[in-house]
Amino acid sequence: MDYYKLSKEPLKAAISNKEHGLYRMSVSMSTLAIDLLLKSVLYRIEPTHDLMMGHNHAGIVTFIENIYSKKDDVRQTAKLSRKYFKDSRYSRSENLSVFTEELADKFISYTKLIKDYVDIDCQATLNDLQKKFTKKQ
């Protein structure tokens, strides 16, 4: 499964939803894009890891940091993303006022931050690719 490629659609949806005033859905789509971006790295490292089955963004980042660089802003973003992953989907009507244009903008920026982290800091090395594509005997 190409999680990285799949992340493009929710990012576009986040931008479109924000432009149409659907701020809760914009945040929701941003958190989904973050989920897929982080899983694209996890899947490359260890495709059968238990974290692939949930949405523990902070846990995925912690696992990724065992191999790639640690960044405080990425950790903080992962924590916020996990919180809003649930909150944006299962909000009570009294919580809807939390989802503002400003919050939607922040989450689109957070998604781009995670994408940059995946693209730059978590690039697949030759070693990673050999490990992934070498047949086990």
Side-chain angles (χ1 to χ4, degrees):
M1 180 170 297
D2 191 344
Y3 290 97
Y4 186 87
K5 187 175 183 179
L6 289 173
S7 73
K8 292 177 183 180
E9 190 173 82
L11 177 55
K12 287 180 184 177
I15 294 165
S16 178
N17 282 325
K18 189 202 112 200
E19 289 169 355
H20 288 91
L22 302 170
Y23 305 129
R24 181 181 65 85
M25 287 308 303
S26 177
V27 171
S28 181
M29 289 295 101
S30 289
T31 63
L32 178 58
I34 289 169
D35 186 67
L36 292 166
L37 286 163
L38 292 174
K39 285 180 178 176
S40 73
V41 177
L42 178 62
Y43 187 78
R44 188 178 69 237
I45 299 168
E46 193 173 320
T48 59
H49 196 285
D50 289 344
L51 288 168
M52 292 299 298
M53 300 308 293
H55 307 289
N56 182 353
H57 301 168
I60 295 171
V61 167
T62 300
F63 185 82
I64 290 170
E65 289 176 339
N66 288 320
I67 297 168
Y68 300 105
S69 65
K70 296 179 182 183
K71 290 193 167 182
D72 290 336
D73 55 350
V74 169
R75 272 190 236 125
Q76 184 61 30
T77 296
K79 288 176 186 174
L80 283 171
S81 180
R82 176 59 188 118
K83 177 192 182 318
Y84 282 94
F85 190 90
K86 179 182 173 203
D87 290 354
S88 64
R89 284 160 180 72
Y90 307 110
S91 291
R92 292 188 213 100
S93 57
E94 62 268 14
N95 294 344
L96 294 180
S97 62
V98 169
F99 298 97
T100 62
E101 183 174 8
E102 181 183 354
L103 187 64
D105 274 335
K106 282 183 182 179
F107 268 88
I108 291 167
S109 294
Y110 295 155
T111 305
K112 291 176 181 178
L113 176 116
I114 296 297
K115 184 178 181 314
D116 286 346
Y117 177 69
V118 168
D119 289 347
I120 298 165
D121 295 88
C122 300
Q123 284 184 359
T125 64
L126 182 57
N127 222 9
D128 294 336
L129 296 173
Q130 285 175 331
K131 182 179 170 184
K132 180 176 179 170
F133 294 109
T134 300
K135 291 184 181 184
K136 295 180 181 176
Q137 298 185 25

